Amino acid sequence: MDSFEQVIAEILWREGYWVRTSVKVELTKEEKRQIQLPSAPRWELDVVAYKAQQNSLLVVECKSYLDSPGVKMHGFDGSNEKAAGRFKLFNKSNVRDVVFNRLRTQLAEIGACSPSPSVTLCLACGRIASERDRSKLKEHFAEQGWQFWDEFWLRDRLKSMAAGGYENQVSAVVSKLLLRGRAE
C-alpha cells in the first residue's frame, strides 16, 4: 500500500467512513469480457470508504504525483490516450459500471455494506500541473458527479489533524510536527 493512500484512508476514517485500501474486486469471466479485458487480473481500487448512515461508498483513485508535473486535464478529456490509460475508471464508463456493480455485490455479500449502496468516484492528488488544469478538472468532475481532492483539500484536512488530539497514526503525527503552531 502506498503511503499517500494511507493518508487518504486516515482522513476518511476521521470523517466517519469505514475504510479499506487496496481493495480487490473479483470480476467474473463474463464481466471481464464485458469490459474487453478477458485475461485481466483482479481489479484493484486504491481506497474504498463506506458510510453506513448514508449507505454510500467512495471509490478513491490516489495519485500523489509529488515529484512530477502533476495531474493534467488531458488525462480526462480524450486528448492524450496514454494519460487517459492511467485513469480507466474515469474514462471508460463501461469499466466503471461493471467494476462498481461487482464491488457493490461483493461487499454486500460479505456483510460489509447494505445492499445497493451509492458509489461516488473520487480522485485524490497531491499535485496539479497548472491552475488552468485545476479549474478544468474541477469543472469536469462536477459535471460527472465525481469528487476532486487536490492538495488544498489535503492541506485543510491535515491542518485539522494537527489541531486535534493525539492519535498514533503516521499522518496525524507528521501533521502535528509540520503544521502545529502554523494552523490558523
Side-chain angles (χ1 to χ4, degrees):
M1 166 184 25
D2 181 283
S3 57
F4 188 67
E5 293 169 4
Q6 188 60 44
V7 169
I8 298 302
E10 289 174 19
I11 288 169
L12 292 172
W13 176 259
R14 289 175 52 92
E15 293 182 359
Y17 289 89
W18 287 92
V19 184
R20 292 288 311 257
T21 57
S22 302
V23 174
K24 305 277 197 237
V25 180
E26 305 283 347
L27 298 176
T28 66
K29 287 181 182 182
E30 177 56 32
E31 289 166 335
K32 289 178 184 183
R33 279 193 289 275
Q34 286 175 4
I35 62 172
Q36 299 175 354
L37 297 169
S39 62
R42 294 181 294 174
W43 201 274
E44 186 171 342
L45 303 172
D46 293 339
V47 177
V48 174
Y50 177 67
K51 192 167 270 193
Q53 187 177 32
Q54 299 158 343
N55 195 29
S56 64
L57 291 166
L58 299 178
V59 172
V60 186
E61 179 73 18
C62 297
K63 301 288 186 197
S64 61
Y65 286 176
L66 299 176
D67 293 325
S68 78
V71 176
K72 298 178 182 179
M73 183 60 193
H74 71 211
F76 302 89
D77 66 6
S79 66
N80 186 314
E81 193 174 319
K82 182 178 178 184
R86 294 183 196 109
F87 302 100
K88 289 178 189 72
L89 288 177
F90 295 94
N91 291 308
K92 297 186 175 195
S93 60
N94 185 43
V95 171
R96 184 174 54 250
D97 292 344
V98 169
V99 170
F100 287 2
N101 284 335
R102 174 53 51 200
L103 177 67
R104 284 184 188 100
T105 300
Q106 185 174 308
L107 294 178
E109 284 176 352
I110 63 170
C113 72
S114 296
S116 304
S118 64
V119 181
T120 302
L121 184 57
C122 312
L123 176 66
C125 44
R127 186 175 179 120
I128 308 301
S130 71
E131 288 307 312
R132 185 175 193 288
D133 285 302
R134 184 186 319 281
S135 174
K136 293 289 187 183
L137 286 163
K138 284 182 177 181
E139 182 181 316
H140 180 68
F141 274 59
E143 287 171 1
Q144 300 301 318
W146 303 333
Q147 293 187 23
F148 178 70
W149 303 339
D150 61 8
E151 66 272 29
F152 297 112
W153 178 92
L154 181 62
R155 194 172 298 131
D156 287 345
R157 276 138 184 97
L158 292 174
K159 282 180 182 177
S160 176
M161 275 188 194
Y166 178 77
E167 289 184 47
N168 195 19
Q169 297 291 332
V170 173
S171 58
V173 171
V174 171
S175 295
K176 289 178 186 304
L177 289 171
L178 296 176
L179 300 173
R180 187 169 265 168
R182 292 184 179 201
E184 288 114 42

